[in-house]
Amino acid sequence: MRVGVLTGGGDCPGLNAVIRAIVRKGVQEYGYDFIGFRDGWRGPLEGETVPLSIPAVRGILPRGGTILGSSRTNPLGVEHGVRRIRENLAKYEVDSLITIGGEDTLGVAGALFDEHGIKCVGVPKTIDNDLSATDYTFGFDTAVSIATEAIDRLRTTAESHMRVLVVEVMGRHAGWIALHSGLAGGANVILIPEQRFDIDQVCAWVTSRFGTSYAPIVVVAEGAMPAQGEMILKDGSHDSFGHVRLSGVGEWLAKQIESRTGKEARTTVLGHVQRGGTPSASDRWLATRFGLHAIDAVRDGDFGAMVALKGTDIVRVPIAVATARLKTVDPALYAEVGVFFG
């Protein structure tokens, strides 16, 4: 058995831990051979590979990013994309693929299995924690920790100058990072994509905070939208999956707050800082378990499945089910933290 491995979409801490676990168990217990495909789905499309062996994965557990590289390549949008993938899998004698990624990467894997019979097993990865079939995805814990530390640091400078600091975090459709880091960092306003916000209410919370002689921290997910208007963007460019490139709501929000309240407001966009660096202990643990169970799914011939966390157990769910809808913040959960606003 020769197994291909790829990492697609945005990078995140914990990807190397998955690769390491897959290779270690696959070689030691099942005697499989492994080959890595470079840069997500571009690897199987172009036939770009790297060797994967136990020596190749030694020492990568604490490393951020991915030794295989990543991209947002969509082979289903490329002419003869499926045929090219088949040809390269045959060329390298690959029997099955383990695809590590989020909604888009796994969506391709599900389509390749369901519609074209290409044997794929999925591993869920996204710092946004927005895949509905798993309780948590690895990368999320690290991203929240980084965002929380940034909020803690920004609070001291905000209070030194008595200004509003707007912190923009990642979260296109789901506000999990904003919610968790905002609550952990003691933010006075948290804005998420699931709940359109009233700019007048935001300014009222800001003014109320200044009334207690403290400077407000506003945490906003990049996909959050005002009640009146559309998503705020710096430009209208799209990636290969048709997603608009986000960022811009933080700057817009700071200008609105400053003009409406007369208080100085500054913006910090955390951006890719949330993706980088060494994974947390929790993400290393989860990523390793996902890798161990993914190679078990290959051994069992359970293709078209994705490994997922349910409670403390690792289970398998169909990739098609896992990517059918996003996991978003429940309004009741968001309402819980509202007591801290203002």
Side-chain angles (χ1 to χ4, degrees):
M1 171 80 76
R2 171 169 283 185
V3 181
V5 183
L6 66 84
T7 55
D11 69 292
C12 79
L15 285 166
N16 288 323
V18 181
I19 298 167
R20 169 180 174 268
I22 289 169
V23 173
R24 284 286 298 271
K25 187 169 187 178
V27 171
Q28 290 177 192
E29 296 199 9
Y30 304 139
Y32 294 165
D33 292 326
F34 290 90
I35 187 170
F37 285 100
R38 291 283 307 166
D39 301 334
W41 285 111
R42 191 173 71 80
L45 269 176
E46 306 295 339
E48 294 194 18
T49 66
V50 294
L52 281 181
S53 61
I54 288 180
V57 300
R58 285 199 179 111
I60 69 172
L61 176 64
R63 286 175 55 183
T66 165
I67 62 170
L68 297 178
S70 190
S71 72
R72 295 191 183 277
T73 303
N74 180 6
L76 302 181
V78 176
E79 187 176 6
H80 306 305
V82 175
R83 188 190 72 190
R84 288 163 61 183
I85 288 174
R86 283 190 185 279
E87 290 173 350
N88 283 315
L89 293 180
K91 174 183 176 181
Y92 292 103
E93 300 179 328
V94 173
D95 301 293
S96 61
L97 272 176
I98 296 179
T99 58
I100 311 166
E103 172 197 9
D104 296 324
T105 300
L106 294 178
V108 171
L112 290 177
F113 175 74
D114 291 336
E115 300 171 21
H116 304 283
I118 294 175
K119 297 176 180 178
C120 295
V121 167
V123 176
K125 171 261 3 161
T126 167
I127 66 169
D128 290 338
N129 196 40
D130 59 0
L131 284 172
S132 62
T134 183
D135 289 350
Y136 286 97
T137 54
F138 67 88
F140 173 67
D141 182 74
T142 305
V144 168
S145 297
I146 291 169
T148 302
E149 181 181 358
I151 294 166
D152 288 344
R153 291 177 179 274
L154 290 167
R155 179 175 299 285
T156 59
T157 186
E159 293 182 351
S160 295
H161 295 273
M162 289 304 289
R163 60 166 63 115
V164 185
L165 273 178
V166 178
V167 185
E168 182 183 306
V169 300
M170 286 184 168
R172 176 182 297 274
H173 300 296
W176 294 108
I177 295 176
L179 188 71
H180 281 241
S181 64
L183 183 61
N188 310 108
V189 181
I190 302 171
L191 306 176
I192 62 175
E194 294 88 339
Q195 299 281 330
R196 284 182 174 256
F197 62 86
D198 182 339
I199 187 62
D200 290 330
Q201 178 63 73
V202 172
C203 291
W205 283 325
V206 166
T207 302
S208 172
R209 181 66 173 177
F210 276 116
T212 61
S213 299
Y214 286 96
I217 298 287
V218 178
V219 175
V220 56
E222 62 188 353
M225 292 182 287
Q228 303 297 325
E230 300 300 323
M231 187 177 288
I232 292 118
L233 308 169
K234 280 190 173 180
D235 63 68
S237 58
H238 295 70
D239 65 20
S240 63
F241 287 95
H243 300 310
V244 176
R245 291 184 170 88
L246 297 184
S247 188
V249 67
E251 286 287 349
W252 179 88
L253 196 58
K255 290 177 181 177
Q256 291 292 318
I257 291 171
E258 190 165 295
S259 67
R260 290 166 182 256
T261 67
K263 300 293 186 180
E264 184 181 6
R266 300 287 180 87
T267 304
T268 297
V269 180
L270 296 185
H272 289 80
V273 170
Q274 296 157 91
R275 291 194 182 281
T278 187
S280 67
S282 177
D283 278 339
R284 297 183 202 190
W285 177 87
L286 180 57
T288 297
R289 291 193 71 202
F290 276 163
L292 296 175
H293 283 262
I295 196 61
D296 285 347
V298 171
R299 176 204 59 186
D300 295 342
D302 195 1
F303 301 113
M306 183 193 84
V307 293
L309 179 69
K310 290 294 182 183
T312 58
D313 296 328
I314 306 295
V315 300
R316 299 174 193 167
V317 297
I319 295 176
V321 172
T323 57
R325 65 179 182 88
L326 293 177
K327 179 177 68 181
T328 54
V329 176
D330 188 284
L333 181 58
Y334 183 65
E336 283 183 12
V337 305
V339 68
F340 298 107
F341 293 178

